[in-house]
Structures are given as structure tokens and as C-alpha cells.
Amino acid sequence: MEIELNLVPEEKRKAPDFENTKLPFGTIFTPHMFLMDYTIDEGWHSPRIVPFSEINLHPAAIVLHYSQTVFEGMKAYYGVDGKVRLFRPWDHINRLNRSADRLCIPKLNPDDVFEAIKTLVLLDKDWIPRKKGAALYIRPIIFATEGTLGLKPSKTYTFMIILAPVGAYYAEGFNPVKIYVTEEYIRACPGGTGDVKTGGNYAASLKAQQVACKKGYSQVLWLDAKEKKYVEEVGSMNIFFYFENELATPELTGSILPGVTRDSVLHLAKKLGIPAKERKISIEEVIEGIETGRLKESFGTGTAAVITPVGEICYKEKPYVINNGQTGELTKKFFDLITGIQYGEKEDEFGWTVVLE
Ligand code: COI
């Protein structure tokens, strides 16, 4: 793939002084972005890197009206050895294509996606913060651009990648967050799109998220759509519970996003000899676990969230505190292991990282 380059002048490429810059998640962007178009006649074509700017969309673009769009979230890290690393990029690229397929969006050549990410990240590599806990968030997105109000898969698409230097996702930093169980709203149902990364899932979560925020909680803990009994995931992350001698996470039922960090924790747990299970976990079991002390720790996993401890769960308007609201030992261990691999401090036994330079 030959990427056409239309770069900003040198003086506009200077990155902020990250030591003295706050990085609220996803608010600062690098000077360049990648674009590529799809038409039925030409397939995916015209890969190009251009100055970061607003984009033109037809007022009837299908994405605006019917949400035909998919995205990914991954990160590039400056390692302690000065190398730039991506974490499990091929898993993200494959999931992007799986999501695209579900939304009737033509798949991309995975090698082209990797090439696009690599070229863009290296071009704007000064924008990767050189400090632990911060990274360059990579947001690939594909959206339907055909201008028509008829409900059907678009005939044209744009694939875009933008980059944002980020710190912690939550205002709490990497400290315990409080989550709120909603019984009023659901996120995804069997046969729906809950297991792929499409904007509609996130739009549908906003109402419940707003309710949770008003009550002082950072995120919503979603239950299954059928029985409202089993835990599924949290707003922006998968969820784990550490019961006495068992690490458990909800099994992938089709309405849960198969998270890359989730999968990494399952692999690491196995390596550490911690019995880890993907299974059905009822909210009653979680609450009883907190009440009896059987539930020792809970944490969320995600690219943006990394490993985020959960310090409190509100169920039926009653707060239940986990591990005295503190980060648990096992949670900290997973945080240290995963970030250690991502920043090149710890051996990458699973071959998860890809060094770009
Ligand atoms: C990610 O963790 O990369 C996500 O896409 C979640 C999003 C809500 C920031």
C-alpha cells in the first residue's frame, strides 16, 4: 500500500510538554490523521495521511442517520528502553474486521491497517508521552458515507485513524471507581451488536450512564437483557471478580465485548496459577460475596481503562464496598504485569507487543 503524504509544516508538529500538560482522555489530538475511501468499483483506495482537520460529510450520510460505523481503540507506548510498542495490534485489527462484518461494512486488508497505524504513529511519535501511565491512544474508525435516507448498507465508506495522547481514562486516575447496577436499561441483547465495537452500543448506554453519574457513580454495571440477573460488562470495560480462590469474568454470551485486555488477564492468570473462569456470574452472587467476604476484589479491563479497580457497587440503590474501597493485591499485580509488558519493562512471554521502532 502506498500512502500519500500531505504533512503539516515542521513548526506545527511540536508536541506539548507532557510533564506539564494535563491529558483528559481523548481531548488532545496529534497533527496528522489517516484516511482511506471505499467505493464498490475501486474497493478500498486512496490511502493518505493529511493534517488533522474536520471532515466533510453529506447531510444524509448513512452513518449520521443509521449509525453504520465501527471502531477500535488501541495504544502505542514509549518503553523504558526508548522503543515504541503496540499492544496486541493484530487482535484489534481482527476485531475491527469482525465488527465491520456485523455492520455490513466491507472488510479491510489487515496488513494495510497495520501499515497505516505504523506509519501514522511513527510520523507523530513525538506525541507519545514518555511517561508511565500515559500513552498514545489510537482510534481507527470506519463509517458509512453514502448520502441517502434509504435504510441499506452504504455503497461508500471512509476509514480514518486519529491519535490522542492520553493519561488515565477515569477522573479517579488508576484508583478504585464506583459502579452502579442498572435494572432499568439494558446495553445489548442476544443477537444484537453487543459483542462488536459499534457506536450505537455506546450511544445506547448514555442514558443509564447519566443516571449513574447523577448518583455519584463513574460507570454502569450492565446485566443481561433476558433475566436481568447475570453481570455482563461495565460502560467502558469488561469486569472481573476475585472470589476466594477463583478469578471469574462473565463468559462471552454474544452480548459482551471480547476485550483484548480481558483476554490478556485470563492468559496471565493461567500463567500465575490462579484458577480463572469465564462463567455466568449473577449479581446476587456478587452482592452475597461482598456481604460474606467471599468476594475479595473486583476490577475492570479495557484499552482505555487498563486495569481499573472497582471499590463499590450500588445495587437496588444500596452501596456495597469491596476491599474497603482499596485497590486489591491481585488487581495491582495484573496492572503491574500488563503495564510492565506494554512499557517494555517485563518480559513479553506471549509475544503480545509489536515494536515499531
Ligand atoms: C477503549 O477502551 O479503547 C474503548 O474504546 C472504550 C471507550 C469508551 C473509550
Side-chain angles (χ1 to χ4, degrees):
M1 181 178 64
E2 190 125 331
I3 305 174
E4 191 190 314
L5 299 179
N6 168 13
L7 307 183
V8 300
E10 201 64 50
E11 67 274 13
K12 288 203 174 148
R13 294 195 207 168
K14 200 171 160 11
D17 163 19
F18 289 117
E19 282 310 318
N20 298 303
T21 309
K22 286 215 164 79
L23 294 173
F25 188 87
T27 54
I28 298 173
F29 296 92
T30 73
H32 297 102
M33 62 190 200
F34 173 89
L35 293 170
M36 176 146 89
D37 303 313
Y38 177 89
T39 55
I40 286 177
D41 290 344
E42 289 181 89
W44 284 108
H45 64 278
S46 306
R48 58 203 184 276
I49 288 177
V50 298
F52 183 89
S53 72
E54 288 171 6
I55 49 171
N56 276 326
L57 267 185
H58 191 289
I62 288 179
V63 63
L64 297 179
H65 302 263
Y66 307 126
S67 302
Q68 197 193 3
T69 175
V70 295
F71 71 93
E72 263 307 317
M74 64 182 104
K75 281 177 178 167
Y77 309 83
Y78 245 120
V80 286
D81 51 3
K83 290 184 179 158
V84 176
R85 282 180 178 75
L86 299 178
F87 186 68
R88 304 188 69 174
W90 295 102
D91 295 286
H92 286 283
I93 293 169
N94 291 336
R95 189 172 64 183
L96 180 69
N97 266 339
R98 213 173 49 73
S99 302
D101 188 56
R102 177 65 179 82
L103 272 284
C104 297
I105 294 173
K107 289 187 189 174
L108 287 145
N109 176 340
D111 292 330
D112 288 348
V113 181
F114 181 78
E115 189 61 29
I117 292 170
K118 181 176 173 179
T119 310
L120 187 65
V121 167
L122 290 182
L123 184 69
D124 283 348
K125 72 170 194 261
D126 289 351
W127 288 69
I128 310 174
R130 284 176 188 255
K131 62 178 179 187
K132 193 129 188 235
L136 188 66
Y137 188 78
I138 304 167
R139 171 53 63 85
I141 176 169
I142 317 174
F143 49 91
T145 51
E146 186 184 346
T148 169
L149 294 180
L151 176 59
K152 61 173 187 75
S154 178
K155 288 198 189 100
T156 59
Y157 299 87
T158 294
F159 172 46
M160 183 172 83
I161 307 171
I162 53 175
L163 307 175
V166 296
Y169 182 69
Y170 293 107
E172 291 89 337
F174 290 107
N175 298 311
V177 293
K178 302 188 333 177
I179 56 181
Y180 179 82
V181 182
T182 179
E183 291 183 286
E184 191 178 355
Y185 302 102
I186 56 152
R187 172 187 172 271
C189 59
T193 57
D195 64 342
V196 297
K197 239 171 146 51
T198 182
N201 292 341
Y202 295 80
S205 75
L206 294 176
K207 190 76 184 171
Q209 166 80 18
Q210 210 174 39
V211 173
C213 280
K214 278 198 188 128
K215 292 176 192 271
Y217 290 84
S218 327
Q219 292 271 305
V220 172
L221 177 62
W222 297 100
L223 301 180
D224 75 284
K226 262 197 203 156
E227 297 180 73
K228 295 204 178 146
K229 180 173 173 188
Y230 297 104
V231 171
E232 296 234 307
E233 61 176 85
V234 180
S236 59
M237 51 191 195
N238 293 114
I239 183 91
F240 280 80
F241 299 100
Y242 183 42
F243 294 103
E244 244 157 23
N245 254 330
E246 183 205 24
L247 181 67
T249 191
E251 65 189 11
L252 300 176
T253 52
S255 50
I256 296 174
L257 188 78
V260 173
T261 316
R262 173 189 181 278
D263 183 70
S264 307
V265 166
L266 288 171
H267 276 85
L268 288 171
K270 208 169 179 188
K271 206 200 104 197
L272 294 173
I274 298 164
K277 267 214 182 113
E278 297 172 78
R279 63 169 176 86
K280 280 193 186 313
I281 303 164
S282 72
I283 186 65
E284 297 297 344
E285 180 186 355
V286 171
I287 299 303
E288 193 195 275
I290 299 174
E291 285 182 326
T292 60
R294 199 172 84 81
L295 178 67
K296 303 292 181 201
E297 300 177 30
S298 173
F299 58 88
T301 60
T303 297
V306 194
I307 303 284
T308 296
V310 174
E312 185 178 315
I313 295 181
C314 182
Y315 180 53
K316 293 195 186 291
E317 306 306 319
K318 198 172 158 200
Y320 296 86
V321 176
I322 302 170
N323 194 34
N324 293 319
Q326 303 297 312
T327 302
E329 252 174 61
L330 189 67
T331 305
K332 173 92 173 58
K333 189 170 210 151
F334 282 122
F335 179 86
D336 288 344
L337 273 175
I338 290 211
T339 55
I341 294 170
Q342 291 169 336
Y343 290 90
E345 290 168 329
K346 291 206 155 65
E347 194 195 342
D348 177 13
E349 277 180 57
F350 295 97
W352 282 334
T353 55
V354 174
V355 173
L356 293 187
E357 193 188 84

